[in-house]
């Protein structure tokens, strides 16, 4: 009986430790967000340059520009995840939950892009792709909402709202080449800058 009681107490202490770790461990997604902001922000500016006639290339270059951006991001992401696994707090509840949310966002964005490409090829109308920035920012907003709920951090809630607002703003420019620099500016606000903030908060020792 005494052993059973001790086992229960040990289990409670273990669960309490997990809860404490999840509450206090800083999120480690900062480098990934910075990479996303830089890579996809640059691709967006590249597409603006093509559509605005600043760069004179085959129109199909716009598609391959995003394919290249996706491949670069995927390669860097693999390296970053490997590094994250060695950092304190990686296995905390908050990092697992938020990491799963951003992973789902990544897959969702990729599948949405593939679906819009398929729709554009079938219909011959590539204007469908202009929906992509709005879809991306809605997904970002949802991921930030989860991060805010897990960490109870006000600035993440504000970042989520900024993502949702940005989704509406870029939709306003859907028929204008300016949609791409506007999208880049929003990415800076909801990916690059927050990513830098998270990187500054990363632990230097076990939490």
């Amino acid at each position: 009986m005494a052993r059973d009681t001790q086992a229960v107490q040990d289990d409670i202490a273990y669960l309490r430790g997990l809860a404490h770790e999840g509450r206090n461990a800083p999120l480690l997604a900062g480098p990934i967000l910075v990479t996303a902001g830089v890579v996809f922000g640059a691709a967006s500016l590249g597409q603006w340059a093509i559509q605005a006639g600043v760069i004179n290339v085959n129109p199909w270059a716009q598609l391959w520009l995003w394919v290249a951006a996706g491949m670069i991001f995927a390669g860097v992401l693999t390296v970053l995840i490997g590094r994250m696994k060695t950092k304190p707090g990686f296995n905390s509840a908050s990092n697992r939950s938020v990491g799963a949310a951003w992973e789902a966002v990544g897959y969702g964005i990729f599948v949405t892009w593939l679906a819009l490409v398929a729709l554009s090829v079938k219909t011959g109308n590539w204007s469908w792709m202009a929906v992509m920035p709005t879809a991306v920012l809605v997904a970002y907003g949802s991921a930030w909402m989860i991060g805010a709920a897990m960490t109870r951090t006000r600035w993440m809630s504000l970042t989520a709202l900024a993502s949702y607002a940005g989704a509406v703003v870029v939709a306003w420019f859907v028929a204008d080449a300016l949609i791409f620099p506007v999208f880049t500016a929003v990415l800076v606000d909801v990916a690059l800058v927050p990513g830098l903030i998270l990187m500054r908060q990363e632990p230097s020792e076990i939490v």
Side-chain angles (χ1 to χ4, degrees):
M1 185 66 179
R3 289 183 178 179
D4 292 341
T5 301
Q6 183 61 44
V8 171
Q9 291 176 343
D10 290 343
D11 289 341
I12 293 174
Y14 174 71
L15 293 174
R16 186 176 298 163
L18 287 179
H20 179 76
E21 180 188 17
R23 185 169 58 251
N24 295 304
L27 299 182
L28 302 174
I32 296 175
L33 288 166
V34 170
T35 302
V38 171
V39 172
F40 296 119
S44 185
L45 289 178
Q47 185 161 5
W48 166 80
I50 294 172
Q51 290 199 1
V54 177
I55 301 175
N56 186 17
V57 293
N58 189 297
W60 281 95
Q62 297 175 77
L63 176 64
W64 296 112
L65 174 65
W66 287 101
V67 171
M71 293 177 64
I72 291 171
F73 179 74
V76 176
L77 179 63
T78 301
V79 175
L80 291 177
I81 291 177
R83 292 179 178 176
M84 285 169 59
K85 290 180 179 179
T86 66
K87 293 183 178 181
F90 176 77
N91 289 314
S92 67
S94 58
N95 272 299
R96 289 199 302 270
S97 299
V98 174
W102 280 106
E103 182 178 7
V105 162
Y107 283 120
I109 289 173
F110 178 63
V111 172
T112 300
W113 182 81
L114 284 179
L116 290 176
V117 169
L119 181 59
S120 299
V121 171
K122 182 176 178 61
T123 63
N125 180 11
W126 285 87
S127 62
W128 291 105
M129 298 303 297
V131 178
M132 198 66 211
T134 292
V136 169
L137 293 175
V138 169
Y140 271 47
S142 300
W144 279 119
M145 278 292 189
I146 294 174
M150 290 298 301
T151 61
R152 298 180 182 179
T153 307
R154 181 175 175 78
W155 72 262
M156 290 189 189
S157 296
L158 295 176
T159 303
L161 294 177
S163 299
Y164 291 141
V168 176
V169 171
V170 297
W172 181 264
F173 292 92
V174 71
D176 194 320
L178 285 176
I179 188 175
F180 300 110
V182 171
F183 179 50
T184 299
V186 178
L187 280 181
V188 170
D189 289 336
V190 303
L192 179 60
V193 172
L196 291 173
I197 293 173
L198 290 178
M199 288 176 67
R200 291 189 63 181
Q201 295 176 350
E202 285 187 8
S204 58
E205 56 186 31
I206 296 177
V207 293

